[in-house]
């Protein structure tokens, strides 16, 4: 069992043995220290098969960041079985053994080979063992020991942020919390004051202060106003060693912004505003804009405008433009220069978000006076009403006056007015108007059943200035008179059975009337006088605007009389009474014992004759087949084309047709002999052009004749080379066409059209020497030159 103490560690095994620490006077790191020795002791007892051992432990301490040239001495391992004869060998293992820490295997001295940094690793755990050099067997069991790194002040405090950003409301009290900065020191906080950080302010006084231990920044000046200064930059220093001399330090920047509060009331830059508005200004149109200035921003600068006093309180209104915080004065009622030409208003501007903390600064509102001058304009006539509603009976005689409209010139001149009907609203010219007094009268008959309402527009214009005109709608309602007789609600055609009994109901009748009735229609039904006594049927009025037709006798014979026509008289109760005679058709039919119709003349109505469904489908299919045949025939005829001139795609060279070719003239029949391309041996090189006379005759060069299998391209290139080197080749306006077009030509345009762009005069006298064929050209260019010279 092992027991550990924090500073000295004693470990005993077997019988207790005395432990000792041998002091040495060696200095390794510039500081005096005692030699640290780890002593191992153990005795072998003959009656036991394991060796006794005893340990005396001491934690080794090293200073970090050693700057000496020699290895840093750590301590010494020693076993009590070491007789000093070199028979024992010390072995070290664990953290950094062999690399960072080495041991003298003979003496047990431990040294550090590199500079150590406590911030990287503060503790190293190693294991020590002594073995017999000759046998290689351990004489002591392996045990652990610790090397702790003592801290030195080699790290400056570091802030968690390079730049801090904070904000506080303006006008804050002294000691208001702003922000807390934090700096950390990587040194050992348990050893000395290397990691004890103290904060101080280097820049930002007297506006702010910082607590030395916590790093809390607070306001130090009362009533800091954002309108005077908005941004502050504070530099905070963090210094270790408790702020003592020789301590390391770090700094950070804190950007502090004062946020706005509503501590400034709105103020008008002037006390009086003046505007002008024509009396024709439309409603809700702006007259002018006013603005009160507020030094605050955002919602603290929002202003609400209102009209508090003035003779135009109900004539004008004011709204707030949310974007510009301006007050927009608008027209709420129509302006009239003749009635009132000057309005005086009192406008008030008030903050919408008031902070009660700053009410002591005064009321957060301001007022100004607004004077609005109304300007006179030439106005159109004004009707006495915005709309007119008139009524007229439908039986009124023509040219009857149904109402009058009135309009006047509102200006002081009181110009006379003439009236007219907008014919776009009365296309049928049913109404007309007296242009002088505005009375409206009918010009065509009216019919309420055709059109109940007539909506027309009347125009009133000044006689002296017809452009000044106005319009008014006139709604004319046509009143009903009883001018339509009642009639059947539907066409009635019924039947009666041959075996019908007397007083049997066969049909119920109803009627309608196109006229309007305020108390409801009341119709009466009766048989016509000529059918009242001799009819085979009777009619019973039900007094509810319906009537029933009943049989008068027991049996009917359809072979004697197949159809009966029963005239019925329908009358209304309005004034004047209107009546009409309607006819009911009654057919005699054969019925079964239950009264169900079997057959009669009305069978054609119930079972109409016609083609069967199958016949209709067959006819439809025939029509479709005929249409498809016609379409196919037309498509086949359209696809017929003439036989192409060129049948073979390979033999295309003998079918080249050139148009608009300018050759050597009518006698030049050898310019486009395509056959020579197919038979180069047939070329006659001795043939000369007959349209020109060369000055010197040269013997043409004879080249090897191309074979039949020579590619056309090679042949053309060969002939081109010959002509380029032939001095007798004509350099005249001659177009040589080849079947192969190369990659391009370095030659420029040979056209004579570009010659007109030259500045110098050209002499065309040589055209006369070329013969009669160029005489026309000589005549065209010759006189022009002569005129120019003259």
């Amino acid at each position: 069992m092992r027991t550990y103490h924090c500073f000295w560690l004693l470990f005993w095994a077997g019988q207790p043995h005395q432990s000792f620490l041998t002091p040495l006077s060696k200095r390794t790191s510039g500081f005096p220290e005692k030699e640290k020795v780890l002593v191992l002791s153990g005795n072998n007892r003959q009656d036991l098969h394991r060796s006794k051992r005893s340990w005396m432990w001491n934690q080794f301490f090293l200073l970090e960041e050693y700057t000496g040239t020699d290895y840093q001495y750590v301590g010494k391992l020693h076993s009590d079985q070491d007789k000093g004869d070199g028979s024992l060998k010390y072995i070290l293992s664990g953290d950094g053994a062999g690399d960072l820490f080495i041991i003298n295997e003979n003496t047990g001295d431990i040294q550090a080979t590199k500079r150590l940094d406590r911030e990287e690793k503060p503790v190293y755990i190693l294991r020590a063992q002594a073995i017999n050099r000759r046998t290689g067997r351990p004489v002591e069991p392996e045990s652990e020991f610790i090397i702790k790194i003592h801290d030195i002040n080699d790290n400056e405090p570091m802030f968690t942020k390079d730049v801090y950003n904070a904000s506080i409301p303006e006008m804050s009290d002294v000691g208001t919390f702003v922000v807390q900065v934090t700096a950390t020191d990587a040194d050992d906080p348990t050893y000395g004051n290397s990691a004890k950080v103290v904060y101080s302010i280097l820049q930002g006084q007297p506006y702010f202060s910082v607590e030395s231990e916590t790093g809390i920044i607070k306001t130090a000046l009362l009533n800091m106003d954002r309108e005077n200064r908005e941004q502050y930059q504070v530099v905070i220093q963090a210094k270790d060693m408790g702020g003592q001399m020789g301590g390391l330090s770090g700094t950070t920047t804190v950007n502090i912004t004062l946020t706005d509060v509503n501590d400034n009331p709105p103020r008008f830059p002037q006390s009086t505003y003046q505007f002008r508005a024509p009396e024709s200004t439309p409603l809700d149109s702006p007259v002018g804009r006013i603005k009160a200035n507020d030094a605050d921003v955002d919602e603290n600068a929002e202003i609400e405008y209102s009209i508090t006093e003035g003779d135009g309180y109900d004539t004008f209104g004011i709204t707030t433009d949310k974007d510009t915080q301006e007050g927009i004065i608008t027209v709420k009622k129509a302006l009239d220069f003749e009635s009132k030409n000057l309005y005086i208003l009192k406008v008030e501007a008030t903050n919408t978000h008031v902070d009660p903390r700053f009410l002591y600064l005064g009321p957060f509102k301001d007022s100004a006076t607004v004077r609005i001058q109304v300007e006179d304009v030439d106005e159109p006539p004004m009707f006495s009403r915005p709309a007119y509603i008139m009524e007229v009976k439908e039986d009124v005689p023509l040219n009857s006056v149904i109402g009058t409209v009135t309009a006047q010139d509102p200006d002081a001149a009181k110009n006379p007015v003439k009236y007219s009907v907008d014919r776009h609203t009365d296309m049928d010219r049913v109404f007309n108007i007296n242009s002088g007094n505005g009375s409206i009268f009918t010009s065509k008959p009216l019919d309420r059943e055709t059109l109940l309402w007539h909506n027309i527009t009347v125009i009133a214009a000044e006689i002296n200035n017809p452009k000044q005109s106005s319009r008014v709608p006139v709604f004319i309602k046509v009143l009903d008179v009883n001018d339509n007789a009642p009639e059947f609600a539907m066409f009635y055609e019924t039947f009666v059975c041959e075996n019908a009994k007397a007083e049997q109901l066969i049909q119920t009748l109803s009627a309608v009337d196109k006229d309007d009735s305020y108390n409801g229609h009341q119709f009466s039904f009766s048989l016509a006088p000529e059918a009242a006594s001799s009819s085979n049927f009777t009619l019973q009025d039900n007094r509810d605007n319906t009537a029933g037709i009943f049989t008068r006798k027991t049996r009917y014979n359809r072979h004697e009389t197949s159809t009966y026509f029963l005239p019925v008289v329908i009358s209304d109760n309005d004034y004047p009474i209107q009546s009409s005679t309607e006819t009911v058709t009654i057919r005699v039919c054969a019925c079964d014992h239950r009264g169900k119709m079997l057959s009669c003349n009305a069978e054609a109505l119930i079972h109409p004759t016609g083609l069967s469904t199958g016949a209709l489908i067959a006819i439809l299919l025939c029509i479709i087949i005929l249409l498809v045949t016609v379409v196919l025939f037309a498509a086949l005829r359209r696809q017929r084309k003439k036989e192409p001139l060129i049948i073979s795609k390979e033999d295309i060279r003998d079918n080249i047709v050139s148009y608009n070719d300018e050759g050597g003239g009518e006698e030049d029949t050898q310019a486009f002999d395509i056959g020579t391309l197919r038979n180069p041996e047939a070329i006659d090189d001795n043939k000369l052009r007959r349209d020109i006379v060369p000055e010197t005759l040269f013997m043409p060069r004879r080249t090897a004749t191309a074979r039949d299998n020579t590619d056309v391209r090679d042949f053309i290139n060969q002939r081109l080379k010959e002509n380029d080197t032939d001095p007798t080749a004509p350099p005249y306006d001659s177009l040589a066409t080849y079947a192969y077009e190369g990659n391009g030509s370095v030659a420029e345009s040979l056209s004579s059209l570009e010659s007109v762009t030259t500045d110098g005069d050209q002499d065309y006298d040589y055209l006369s020497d070329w013969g009669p064929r160029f005489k026309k050209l000589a005549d065209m260019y010759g006189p022009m030159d002569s005129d120019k010279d003259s």
Side-chain angles (χ1 to χ4, degrees):
M1 175 176 187
R2 297 180 181 178
T3 303
Y4 294 94
H5 289 265
C6 63
F7 216 79
W8 290 94
L9 179 62
L10 301 178
F11 181 85
W12 297 94
Q15 297 294 330
H17 294 78
Q18 184 179 2
S19 300
F20 58 91
L21 180 66
T22 306
L24 298 176
S25 60
K26 185 177 181 180
R27 298 176 62 184
T28 60
S29 60
F31 297 93
E33 64 177 25
K34 293 182 179 180
E35 183 184 31
K36 296 171 283 241
V37 181
L38 177 61
V39 180
L40 301 90
S41 64
N43 293 325
N44 294 330
R45 297 180 59 179
Q46 299 298 328
D47 55 347
L48 297 176
H49 296 286
R50 59 184 180 86
S51 62
K52 305 288 185 174
R53 54 187 173 82
S54 64
W55 293 83
M56 184 177 68
W57 287 94
N58 182 18
Q59 289 184 347
F60 295 143
F61 294 90
L62 287 181
L63 288 176
E64 64 172 335
E65 304 296 342
Y66 170 69
T67 58
T69 58
D70 298 334
Y71 289 165
Q72 188 177 9
Y73 184 74
V74 178
K76 184 180 183 65
L77 292 178
H78 185 72
S79 175
D80 56 356
Q81 296 188 16
D82 189 357
K83 307 302 182 181
D85 56 358
S87 61
L88 293 184
K89 179 181 179 182
Y90 295 96
I91 299 177
L92 188 66
S93 63
D95 295 342
D99 179 22
L100 188 58
F101 300 101
I102 60 174
I103 187 172
N104 190 319
E105 61 182 14
N106 296 322
T107 62
D109 293 329
I110 302 174
Q111 293 177 313
T113 62
K114 297 180 180 179
R115 179 189 301 181
L116 302 178
D117 189 357
R118 189 202 66 83
E119 287 71 35
E120 294 182 359
K121 189 174 181 64
V123 176
Y124 294 86
I125 300 175
L126 294 94
R127 294 179 295 276
Q129 190 176 35
I131 63 173
N132 190 298
R133 187 184 296 273
R134 183 172 54 84
T135 63
R137 294 182 178 180
V139 298
E140 297 290 347
E142 184 181 59
S143 296
E144 292 182 348
F145 64 95
I146 299 174
I147 299 177
K148 296 185 67 174
I149 309 302
H150 269 183
D151 182 48
I152 65 172
N153 189 18
D154 60 341
N155 291 280
E156 69 276 5
M158 299 292 293
F159 284 93
T160 55
K161 296 181 180 179
D162 294 335
V163 177
Y164 289 82
N165 294 303
S167 61
I168 57 169
E170 61 174 333
M171 310 298 289
S172 297
D173 297 332
V174 175
T176 302
F177 174 83
V178 179
V179 69
Q180 183 177 12
V181 296
T182 303
T184 58
D185 197 315
D187 293 327
D188 189 0
T190 63
Y191 182 76
N193 294 327
S194 299
K196 186 177 182 181
V197 179
V198 175
Y199 301 94
S200 61
I201 185 168
L202 300 181
Q203 177 183 321
Q205 294 175 331
Y207 307 103
F208 300 95
S209 63
V210 63
E211 293 184 357
S212 60
E213 295 183 357
T214 62
I216 295 177
I217 301 176
K218 298 180 179 180
T219 57
L221 190 63
L222 185 64
N223 294 334
M224 287 189 291
D225 193 0
R226 184 199 66 85
E227 286 71 32
N228 294 331
R229 183 177 177 183
E230 184 177 4
Q231 298 287 339
Y232 294 86
Q233 190 174 75
V234 179
V235 178
I236 302 297
Q237 181 189 63
K239 191 174 184 180
D240 59 13
M241 298 298 292
Q244 299 176 2
M245 293 291 293
L248 302 179
S249 64
T251 60
T252 187
T253 300
V254 182
N255 295 322
I256 302 175
T257 302
L258 296 184
T259 58
D260 186 57
V261 297
N262 192 6
D263 59 340
N264 293 281
R267 290 288 181 263
F268 282 105
Q270 58 192 68
S271 60
T272 304
Y273 295 85
Q274 292 188 359
F275 299 103
R276 293 181 177 272
E279 62 176 336
S280 60
T281 303
L283 297 182
D284 297 327
S285 298
V287 174
R289 289 173 175 254
I290 61 176
K291 183 177 182 181
N293 299 323
D294 194 325
D296 297 321
V297 295
D298 299 333
E299 67 175 13
N300 296 319
E302 292 181 0
I303 300 174
E304 188 71 27
Y305 296 91
S306 61
I307 299 176
T308 58
E309 298 178 9
D311 51 3
Y313 182 81
D314 57 347
T315 307
F316 298 92
I318 188 168
T319 58
T320 302
D321 189 335
K322 298 300 182 182
D323 296 330
T324 62
Q325 295 300 316
E326 292 178 319
I328 305 174
I329 301 175
T330 57
V331 178
K332 292 173 57 179
K333 287 186 177 180
L335 303 178
D336 187 6
F337 173 82
E338 290 73 23
S339 300
K340 189 175 180 61
N341 56 15
L342 178 62
Y343 294 89
I344 299 176
L345 310 174
K346 184 179 180 180
V347 178
E348 187 175 81
T350 307
N351 276 138
T352 56
H353 302 279
V354 179
D355 194 336
R357 296 177 301 170
F358 305 102
L359 289 177
Y360 67 91
L361 297 177
F364 282 77
K365 59 184 179 179
D366 194 16
S367 61
T369 301
V370 178
R371 299 169 60 90
I372 301 176
Q373 182 73 42
V374 180
E375 297 178 343
D376 187 25
V377 295
D378 188 7
E379 297 177 280
M382 292 184 61
F383 284 93
S384 59
R385 301 178 189 175
Y388 292 85
I389 299 178
M390 302 178 182
E391 293 181 349
V392 59
K393 290 187 177 181
E394 61 178 328
D395 61 345
V396 66
L398 295 181
N399 298 323
S400 298
V401 177
I402 60 177
T404 302
V405 297
T406 304
Q408 292 182 353
D409 183 10
D411 298 324
K414 299 298 180 181
N415 294 322
V417 178
K418 66 176 181 179
Y419 303 92
S420 62
V421 177
D422 186 357
R423 291 307 174 186
H424 292 91
T425 60
D426 186 21
M427 301 294 292
D428 297 332
R429 296 181 178 270
V430 180
F431 301 95
N432 211 333
I433 191 170
N434 189 310
S435 61
N437 57 20
S439 59
I440 300 175
F441 56 89
T442 59
S443 58
K444 287 185 178 181
L446 303 176
D447 187 7
R448 188 200 69 86
E449 289 72 32
T450 303
L451 186 60
L452 177 61
W453 285 93
H454 294 267
N455 302 328
I456 65 175
T457 300
V458 175
I459 303 173
E462 294 182 7
I463 296 178
N464 299 333
N465 186 9
K467 292 183 178 181
Q468 294 293 337
S469 63
S470 57
R471 297 168 174 262
V472 67
V474 179
F475 306 104
I476 303 173
K477 183 179 180 180
V478 181
L479 300 179
D480 184 46
V481 295
N482 191 23
D483 58 346
N484 290 280
E487 56 188 13
F488 280 150
M490 57 180 294
F491 175 73
Y492 291 102
E493 184 175 16
T494 185
F495 70 94
V496 61
C497 294
E498 289 182 309
N499 56 358
K501 297 179 181 180
E503 302 299 328
Q504 180 179 346
L505 177 66
I506 62 175
Q507 182 67 51
T508 299
L509 307 177
S510 62
V512 294
D513 195 335
K514 295 180 180 179
D515 293 325
D516 191 11
S517 177
Y518 298 101
N519 298 323
H521 291 291
Q522 293 183 5
F523 302 126
S524 61
F525 298 85
S526 62
L527 293 177
E530 64 273 12
S533 59
S534 61
S535 175
N536 294 309
F537 302 93
T538 61
L539 181 67
Q540 180 179 342
D541 191 348
N542 298 328
R543 304 297 180 182
D544 59 354
N545 294 335
T546 63
I549 300 176
F550 294 86
T551 57
R552 174 175 288 184
K553 60 182 181 178
T554 301
R555 297 186 63 84
Y556 296 87
N557 190 343
R558 62 191 176 106
H559 297 291
E560 295 179 358
T561 305
S562 61
T563 303
Y564 294 92
F565 298 99
L566 185 65
V568 178
V569 178
I570 310 173
S571 303
D572 57 21
N573 64 341
D574 292 333
Y575 180 82
I577 296 176
Q578 299 288 339
S579 63
S580 65
T581 301
E582 302 287 335
T583 301
V584 180
T585 303
I586 303 174
R587 298 183 182 276
V588 180
C589 302
C591 302
D592 57 12
H593 65 281
R594 292 176 295 183
K596 183 177 180 180
M597 182 182 62
L598 298 178
S599 64
C600 62
N601 293 338
E603 185 176 1
L605 299 176
I606 300 174
H607 303 286
T609 60
L611 297 175
S612 63
T613 304
L616 292 175
I617 295 175
I619 293 174
L620 182 61
L621 289 176
C622 292
I623 293 174
I624 293 174
I625 293 172
L626 181 61
L627 290 175
V628 172
T629 304
V630 172
V631 171
L632 291 177
F633 180 74
L636 291 176
R637 291 197 61 182
R638 184 171 294 179
Q639 290 180 357
R640 292 181 180 179
K641 296 181 180 179
K642 295 183 179 180
E643 184 177 354
L645 296 176
I646 303 174
I647 300 178
S648 175
K649 295 182 180 180
E650 298 178 357
D651 193 13
I652 193 172
R653 291 171 296 179
D654 286 343
N655 298 280
I656 296 178
V657 179
S658 299
Y659 299 95
N660 297 329
D661 258 342
E662 182 179 358
E666 296 180 356
E667 298 180 2
D668 186 7
T669 60
Q670 302 175 6
F672 305 99
D673 189 4
I674 303 302
T676 58
L677 297 178
R678 304 182 59 86
N679 187 15
E681 295 181 353
I683 300 175
D684 187 2
D685 292 335
N686 294 326
K687 292 182 178 180
L688 300 177
R689 294 182 57 172
R690 291 174 290 177
D691 58 335
I692 58 174
V693 179
E695 298 178 356
T696 306
L697 292 178
F698 293 88
M699 291 302 294
R701 298 181 181 180
R702 188 68 176 180
T703 59
T705 304
R707 308 312 312 163
D708 291 340
N709 57 355
T710 302
D711 186 30
V712 174
R713 176 177 177 178
D714 296 338
F715 169 73
I716 293 175
N717 291 333
Q718 176 183 349
R719 304 305 293 172
L720 177 62
K721 183 178 180 181
E722 293 176 4
N723 282 273
D724 287 343
T725 57
D726 188 0
T728 62
Y732 307 103
D733 289 341
S734 178
L735 180 63
T737 303
Y738 299 94
Y740 176 78
E741 181 178 355
N743 295 330
S745 175
V746 297
E748 298 180 354
S749 174
L750 300 178
S751 173
S752 60
L753 297 177
E754 296 182 357
S755 61
V756 297
T757 61
T758 59
D759 297 331
D761 297 335
Q762 298 188 22
D763 186 9
Y764 297 98
D765 294 339
Y766 60 89
L767 293 176
S768 302
D769 300 336
W770 283 11
R773 285 175 299 179
F774 294 92
K775 185 176 183 301
K776 185 65 176 177
L777 288 175
D779 295 339
M780 293 172 59
Y781 287 91
M784 184 181 300
D785 295 339
S786 62
D787 294 340
K788 184 177 180 180
D789 295 339
S790 62

